[in-house]
């Protein structure tokens, strides 16, 4: 049942209905209570078009900085964020009522309202001092919103009975895409401000968070090294090798965090499939607790902080150079959810820390780079047995039963969707979340690129990432 908009606005956001009272405890702590007046204001913002920026605009604008330009950038972000948030709040209000009462969905809805109110209330920024305060607000918001992906994913998984799959996919894709847009604006402005202030120094190829000389081979090598390390730490084995070929000297303008996330997730899938086919005993015997122990050693906040620091360091010092199941089974859900094992460091011994499981010779994963004037392509090929035809149609779905894996987000309460989170063991390799391909596709689509998976069932898989580069990035159509 979808409520009329005026009624939806009146919906009591802080008082759970009797039917969900037991599970809606989170909402009792929330302070945002949208009312009719609030929704009238929201409508005014949602009626405005968002103003898209392209990668080229980001780089041209940030190449030379002045106080005047920085204040222009601040006011653009200040004006743009409440408009973009208003569009998404409307999306929440169009969800079926029962889905809106899910505590995870409701939590993010209230978070968005709070952010909307905050940014809407900020007056024009006229001085560098005011800009510093503004950047602090942005950083605070970026941090607070790290719960959004896990909460949305769990909310959608829990609501799958009440939301048709097309609607669920549309909602999640919009949420993730818009989130990327807002974070790009915020992170770019924060980084430019820090560089202007002298708080950060950057390699000259970087303009804010954009690298104008991203080397494709470096992206693959960096991701391969991290995936390899993550599997080595997690399973105590020598992982399959990654061989890189093709246009090894290709460079392009891109946001490294985004392409690294994609290549990392594809390599991780290939590595997992290769082990699953050629050394299944490794995945079965290897204790999940190894990675989990590393996770448990530190608080989430500490780990996220470190990941972000590492990420900032990377930007400032960068130098060139299985089988999914149609029907959910207990395997979809992390053992600690379905069994009594826990994330506690003392809960199990860690043989992988001390012994190395023997593995047969594993077929290597091949990463090929193709560079044309308007398209840069990565192809990740493996001999991991391929993806069954029954699984293929649902690779990018958010509501299919196989997405019960989203419930594993209970172990990853905050996620920025950046490679550093895997490197710092915030996301253990043994923890299947089901977000790798859908999130990678949203990242690729954001600047007009795409991902395609071609599989030979029984043999292996080729995953293609095509990124629009050069003038192509200026011709994108885009809304909200
Ligand atoms: N290269 C591959 N080989 C075999 N299966 C794959 C491959 N890539 C993806 N898959 C299948 O698609 C599923 C979804 O992948 P993904 O979205 O990355 O989520 P996750 O890896 O967390 O399950 C995987 O669980 C796996 O079953
Ligand atoms: Mg994956």
């Amino acid at each position: 049942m979808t409520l009329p908009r005026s009624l939806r606005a009146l919906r009591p956001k802080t008082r759970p209905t009797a039917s969900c009272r037991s599970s809606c405890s989170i909402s009792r702590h929330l302070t945002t209570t949208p009312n009719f007046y609030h929704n009238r204001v929201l409508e005014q913002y949602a009626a405005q078009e968002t103003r898209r920026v392209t990668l080229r605009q980001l780089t041209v604008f940030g190449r030379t900085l002045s106080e005047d330009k920085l204040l222009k950038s601040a006011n653009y972000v200040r004006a743009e964020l409440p408009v973009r948030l208003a569009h998404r709040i409307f999306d929440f209000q169009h969800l079926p009522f029962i889905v809106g009462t899910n505590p995870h969905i409701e939590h993010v809805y209230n978070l968005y309202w709070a952010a909307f109110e905050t940014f809407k209330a900020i007056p024009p920024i006229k001085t560098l001092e005011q800009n510093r305060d503004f950047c602090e607000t942005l950083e605070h918001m970026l941090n607070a919103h790290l719960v959004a992906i896990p909460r949305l994913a769990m909310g959608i998984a829990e609501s799958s009975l009440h939301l048709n799959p097309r609607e669920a996919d549309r909602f999640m894709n919009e949420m993730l895409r818009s989130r990327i847009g807002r974070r790009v604006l915020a992170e770019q402005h924060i980084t430019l401000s820090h560089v202007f202030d002298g708080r950060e120094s950057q390699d000259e190829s970087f303009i804010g968070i954009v690298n104008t000389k991203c080397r494709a081979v470096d992206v693959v090598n960096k991701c391969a090294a991290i995936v390899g390390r993550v599997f080595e730490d997690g399973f105590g084995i020598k992982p399959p090798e990654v061989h890189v070929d093709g246009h090894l000297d290709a460079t392009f303008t891109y946001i490294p965090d985004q392409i690294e996330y994609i290549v990392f997730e594809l390599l991780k899938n290939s590595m997992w499939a290769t082990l699953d086919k050629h050394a299944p005993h490794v995945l079965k015997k290897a204790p999940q607790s190894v990675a989990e122990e590393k996770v448990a050693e530190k608080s989430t906040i500490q780990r996220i902080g470190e990941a972000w620091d590492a990420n900032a360091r990377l930007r400032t010092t960068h130098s060139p150079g299985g089988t999914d199941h149609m029907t959910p089974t207990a395997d979809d859900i992390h053992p600690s959810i379905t069994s009594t094992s826990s994330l506690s460091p003392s809960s199990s011994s860690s043989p992988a820390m001390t012994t190395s499981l023997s593995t047969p010779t594993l077929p290597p994963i091949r990463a090929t780079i193709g560079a044309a004037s308007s398209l840069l392509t990565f192809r990740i090929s493996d001999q991991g047995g391929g993806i069954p035809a029954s699984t293929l149609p649902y690779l990018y779905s958010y509501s299919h039963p196989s997405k019960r894996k989203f419930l594993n987000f209970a172990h990853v309460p905050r996620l920025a969707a950046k490679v550093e989170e895997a490197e710092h063991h915030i996301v253990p390799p043994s923890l299947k979340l089901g977000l790798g391909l859908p999130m990678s596709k949203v990242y690729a689509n954001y600047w007009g690129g795409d991902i395609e998976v071609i599989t030979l069932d029984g043999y292996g898989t080729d995953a293609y990432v095509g990124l629009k580069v050069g003038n192509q990035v200026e011709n994108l159509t885009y809304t909200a």
Side-chain angles (χ1 to χ4, degrees):
M1 174 184 63
T2 305
L3 291 182
R5 187 175 296 162
S6 55
L7 291 182
R8 268 183 260 128
L10 292 168
R11 196 171 84 198
K13 278 288 163 192
T14 53
R15 206 166 297 161
T17 60
S19 63
C20 74
R21 197 162 287 141
S22 61
S23 61
C24 287
S25 56
I26 296 162
S27 61
R28 286 190 214 114
H29 304 294
L30 299 174
T31 52
T32 315
T33 311
N35 58 28
F36 185 69
Y37 165 74
H38 284 111
N39 231 54
R40 287 290 297 277
V41 175
L42 182 80
E43 280 175 17
Q44 288 165 13
Y45 277 83
Q48 295 174 41
E49 291 283 318
T50 59
R51 287 181 292 158
R52 171 167 172 70
V53 286
T54 62
L55 270 177
R56 175 165 301 179
Q57 280 168 331
L58 286 181
T59 54
V60 169
F61 182 88
R63 200 175 290 278
T64 51
L65 279 180
S66 63
E67 180 174 336
D68 185 47
K69 277 175 95 174
L70 205 58
L71 296 179
K72 266 204 183 94
S73 163
N75 284 304
Y76 165 68
V77 177
R78 179 188 66 85
E80 193 67 12
L81 287 180
V83 175
R84 294 184 181 211
L85 286 162
H87 283 273
R88 297 292 72 80
I89 293 171
F90 256 36
D91 284 349
F92 275 103
Q93 294 184 349
H94 281 85
L95 288 172
F97 181 81
I98 184 84
V99 178
T101 62
N102 177 279
H104 299 298
I105 300 285
E106 191 168 28
H107 186 87
V108 182
Y109 175 75
N110 285 323
L111 210 56
Y112 277 35
W113 258 108
F116 170 71
E117 298 281 7
T118 301
F119 286 114
K120 173 170 77 65
I122 295 175
I125 297 155
K126 295 180 176 153
T127 66
L128 288 178
E129 190 54 39
Q130 288 170 347
N131 184 47
R132 268 189 282 278
D133 290 345
F134 180 59
C135 286
E136 270 179 31
T137 306
L138 287 176
E139 282 176 281
H140 170 78
M141 216 59 90
L142 285 174
N143 203 26
H145 282 229
L146 288 174
V147 300
I149 292 179
R151 291 266 187 179
L152 286 171
M154 287 193 288
I156 289 296
E158 288 176 2
S159 307
S160 56
L161 286 180
H162 310 292
L163 200 56
N164 84 49
R166 282 229 322 269
E167 183 57 20
D169 290 353
R170 198 202 62 79
F171 174 78
M172 276 300 278
N173 278 325
E174 278 305 299
M175 286 293 151
L176 294 177
R177 193 174 58 77
S178 172
R179 177 187 165 280
I180 293 172
R182 294 192 311 275
R183 292 185 94 84
V184 164
L185 289 189
E187 290 180 3
Q188 180 72 357
H189 180 67
I190 291 168
T191 309
L192 291 182
S193 298
H194 287 178
V195 170
F196 189 74
D197 269 3
R199 285 168 65 183
E200 251 181 59
S201 63
Q202 285 205 305
D203 186 287
E204 62 178 20
S205 66
F206 274 85
I207 296 173
I209 59 171
V210 185
N211 187 355
T212 58
K213 292 191 185 114
C214 219
R215 275 170 52 86
V217 69
D218 289 350
V219 170
V220 175
N221 284 337
K222 176 183 169 182
C223 294
I226 298 173
V227 184
R229 239 180 358 256
V230 160
F231 272 77
E232 224 169 308
D233 288 351
F235 300 109
I237 45 103
K238 190 174 177 314
E241 288 178 2
V242 178
H243 296 171
V244 193
D245 58 13
H247 291 134
L248 299 180
D249 54 355
T251 63
F252 59 112
T253 296
Y254 219 73
I255 297 175
D257 280 347
Q258 299 183 353
I259 183 59
E260 286 170 6
Y261 178 88
I262 298 171
V263 172
F264 173 85
E265 288 296 328
L266 297 181
L267 286 172
K268 191 168 89 170
N269 282 348
S270 287
M271 221 165 258
W272 184 281
T274 303
L275 286 168
D276 200 23
K277 179 165 169 67
H278 301 277
H281 62 288
V282 166
L283 297 181
K284 292 215 172 65
K285 281 193 202 156
Q288 307 208 341
S289 60
V290 176
E292 288 162 359
E293 280 178 20
K294 298 200 177 199
V295 173
E297 278 165 14
K298 300 172 184 170
S299 73
T300 304
I301 291 171
Q302 191 187 352
R303 283 180 280 117
I304 293 267
E306 285 176 6
W308 277 57
D309 289 348
N311 191 27
R313 271 199 305 278
L314 192 81
R315 282 204 306 271
T316 51
T317 59
H318 180 86
S319 62
T323 303
D324 213 351
H325 298 286
M326 283 283 287
T327 311
T329 69
D331 289 345
D332 285 338
I333 309 297
H334 195 265
S336 55
I337 295 176
T338 52
S339 76
T340 52
S341 69
S342 82
L343 290 180
S344 150
S346 57
S347 65
S348 67
S349 61
S350 316
M353 295 280 254
T354 51
T355 61
S356 193
L357 291 173
S358 65
T359 50
T361 309
L362 298 168
I365 293 159
R366 192 164 155 204
T368 308
I369 298 160
S373 60
S374 59
L375 192 72
L376 189 101
T377 309
F378 295 87
R379 182 185 59 198
I380 311 291
S381 307
D382 65 57
Q383 296 170 42
I387 306 174
S390 56
T391 303
L392 267 182
Y394 307 105
L395 286 180
Y396 306 105
S397 155
Y398 297 92
S399 62
H400 186 259
S402 64
K403 289 302 152 106
R404 279 187 64 213
K405 282 182 276 189
F406 277 175
L407 299 179
N408 287 336
F409 271 109
H411 295 295
V412 188
R414 292 149 61 85
L415 191 87
K418 295 185 179 185
V419 169
E420 280 68 24
E421 290 168 323
E423 195 177 13
H424 293 259
H425 298 280
I426 291 166
V427 184
S430 56
L431 194 63
K432 289 246 167 189
L433 293 170
L435 193 74
L437 286 173
M439 186 74 216
S440 295
K441 197 172 182 71
V442 176
Y443 266 136
N445 288 165
Y446 190 78
W447 302 109
D450 209 352
I451 290 189
E452 207 169 320
V453 173
I454 295 175
T455 193
L456 276 95
D457 197 358
Y459 180 76
T461 301
D462 284 357
Y464 290 82
V465 188
L467 304 180
K468 287 191 175 171
V469 292
N471 290 334
Q472 285 297 313
V473 293
E474 299 304 299
N475 301 328
L476 307 177
T477 52
Y478 181 83
T479 54

